[in-house]
Amino acid sequence: MSRPPRSPARPAAAPRVAWLIEPRFPGGTSAALAQELRAVAPLLRPQVFFVDSKMFRGREVAPVLAEAFAELGLAPVHAPRRIAADVVILHNPAFLKFDAALELRIVTRRLHVVCHENFLRPDGSESFDVAHCLGLIERASLAFDRTIAPVSPWNRRMAAAWLERAGRAGERWRLLGENWFNICDFPLRPPPSAPRDRRGRLSRPGLEKFPSTEVLEACFPPHAERNLLLGAEILTASAGRHPHWEILPFRAMPVEEFFTAIDFLVHFTAPGLRESFGRVLAEATAAGKLAICPPETAESFGPGVVGASPREVDALIAGFIAAPQRYAARVRLAQRGLAAYSPGRFRAFFRRQVLKLEGCGR
């Protein structure tokens, strides 16, 4: 007896993926998310949901995100009551630190929490109440799998250390096997043929972003040709005592113009903060400028970015100015390292860690 012909196998449906975000973060979190949405757009149509947290209530959506939404034709849902998707991606749980509850219901197979903020400070103390923020997310979600997704080697070490000592607060979370890296998709500019002692610093304003006055004086001394501090409005009161510092508010100058005006990005933060990724270092590298920062931050970008202490900055800059070919070679080495953070590499990561979800297509 002949068997009836088999029905052709139906193609697996693509997973439904939703992003749950606080869209008002200034600086790196929003910039990274905007690039992420652009990168995954060829693979799926992102569903984006807004949370209105107490941390940023009353502020406008970050301009880089508003531009990405318009470019991709996305209409994010504000203050959703329920999110149901195969995968839910929540960026930067620190936005919940002032909230008593996460007023929505998340139903998903897998929940990824991308930790742009380090869970622990360099001295081992908590950067914010991690258990509170993760607890709000956990109580609001019904998920088969919950992961913490670090964004860099240092960020991973801090997350792993927190989970190890968190006890019951961390037992229902696991660490993602790969880093959920920031996409650094910037046009590459050639390094200057004759670098000068033009130093700069760029960050969002905030006390935690700035080192002590002594460190700033070591990094940006009077004998430098230029000391351009963009996003340093908190230093305005001390401007009279440091006339050699050119202090400008955040977004007072286009980023491209800022990097044109300097040859060395010198980036150190307060002792209680270590950058989780350091996106500005990638921006400086792409602009053809040499970046100097703590070794733990430089680790994300390979040997091209210079890891040093503040007291070493002056001698390093003098040495690179005296050897412009060495300066150019170091910048080009750093630029080659940025290939690890391309949109294509992120899409490959996204297919492995998000789209290859059992029972949800690939």
Side-chain angles (χ1 to χ4, degrees):
M1 180 182 294
S2 61
R3 294 181 179 177
R6 289 184 178 179
S7 300
R10 293 195 302 177
R16 295 167 299 156
V17 183
W19 278 257
L20 177 59
I21 65 170
E22 167 50 272
R24 300 163 182 86
F25 271 107
T29 295
S30 293
L33 181 55
Q35 292 280 40
E36 182 174 312
L37 294 174
R38 290 187 177 100
V40 302
L43 305 178
L44 49 77
R45 182 165 180 78
Q47 295 179 287
V48 182
F49 298 86
F50 282 5
V51 172
D52 185 17
S53 72
K54 289 184 178 179
M55 187 173 184
F56 297 114
R57 188 158 293 162
R59 298 191 188 182
E60 297 294 324
V61 172
V64 289
L65 274 176
E67 291 169 9
F69 299 148
E71 177 186 326
L72 299 172
L74 299 179
V77 177
H78 182 257
R81 297 184 64 84
R82 184 175 183 271
I83 298 174
D86 296 307
V87 182
V88 173
I89 301 164
L90 186 149
H91 276 264
N92 208 340
F95 72 78
L96 290 167
K97 62 185 178 182
F98 300 125
D99 288 88
L102 182 56
E103 300 290 354
L104 60 90
R105 189 65 173 164
I106 302 168
V107 180
T108 184
R109 290 178 60 84
R110 181 169 296 161
L111 174 62
H112 293 298
V113 172
V114 184
C115 50
H116 293 263
E117 303 284 345
N118 293 321
F119 284 3
L120 303 179
R121 296 188 177 98
D123 65 3
S125 62
E126 283 198 336
S127 298
F128 58 97
D129 191 341
V130 181
H132 169 75
C133 296
L134 293 183
L136 295 186
I137 296 166
E138 183 183 332
R139 288 190 290 275
S141 61
L142 177 63
F144 290 136
D145 187 30
R146 297 183 180 90
T147 72
I148 301 297
V151 296
S152 71
W154 176 262
N155 189 239
R156 171 175 292 276
R157 289 199 287 275
M158 296 302 96
W162 185 88
L163 285 169
E164 184 176 352
R165 73 189 198 190
R168 294 187 64 182
E171 64 187 10
R172 287 179 289 278
W173 296 87
R174 68 178 179 87
L175 206 59
L176 193 67
E178 295 183 77
N179 292 339
W180 194 291
F181 59 87
N182 280 217
I183 298 166
C184 299
D185 187 23
F186 311 114
L188 300 183
R189 309 293 184 193
S193 58
R196 294 148 53 189
D197 194 352
R198 303 186 304 165
R199 313 182 189 196
R201 189 186 189 285
L202 168 61
S203 74
R204 61 173 171 79
L207 287 173
E208 75 282 359
K209 282 288 188 178
F210 286 82
S212 67
T213 301
E214 291 74 22
V215 169
L216 286 171
E217 287 172 341
C219 294
F220 302 100
H223 62 259
E225 179 182 338
R226 190 171 193 183
N227 293 302
L228 180 57
L229 311 182
L230 181 58
E233 47 263 52
I234 66 167
L235 300 177
T236 302
S238 63
R241 297 190 299 275
H242 301 90
H244 51 288
W245 291 352
E246 189 174 346
I247 298 170
L248 294 177
F250 193 52
R251 298 196 184 106
M253 173 186 287
V255 173
E256 297 80 5
E257 184 180 338
F258 168 79
F259 285 120
T260 299
I262 69 169
D263 292 313
F264 296 89
L265 180 84
V266 184
H267 190 77
F268 292 88
T269 57
L273 174 76
R274 182 80 69 227
E275 292 284 8
S276 56
F277 183 76
R279 188 176 181 80
V280 69
L281 303 170
E283 292 178 295
T285 296
K289 306 307 166 77
L290 192 71
I292 304 173
C293 65
E296 298 87 350
T297 308
E299 182 182 0
S300 292
F301 302 98
V305 169
V306 180
S309 68
R311 66 177 179 274
E312 296 173 303
V313 168
D314 224 32
L316 282 168
I317 289 177
F320 280 113
I321 290 173
Q325 291 182 333
R326 186 161 64 91
Y327 174 101
R330 193 70 179 255
V331 171
R332 292 191 182 100
L333 178 62
Q335 288 183 337
R336 289 195 294 273
L338 292 183
Y341 301 114
S342 70
R345 289 288 295 270
F346 187 86
R347 280 190 288 272
F349 158 83
F350 195 81
R351 289 188 181 98
R352 288 192 302 272
Q353 294 292 350
V354 178
L355 299 187
K356 287 187 178 179
L357 186 64
E358 184 178 351
C360 299
R362 53 185 172 179

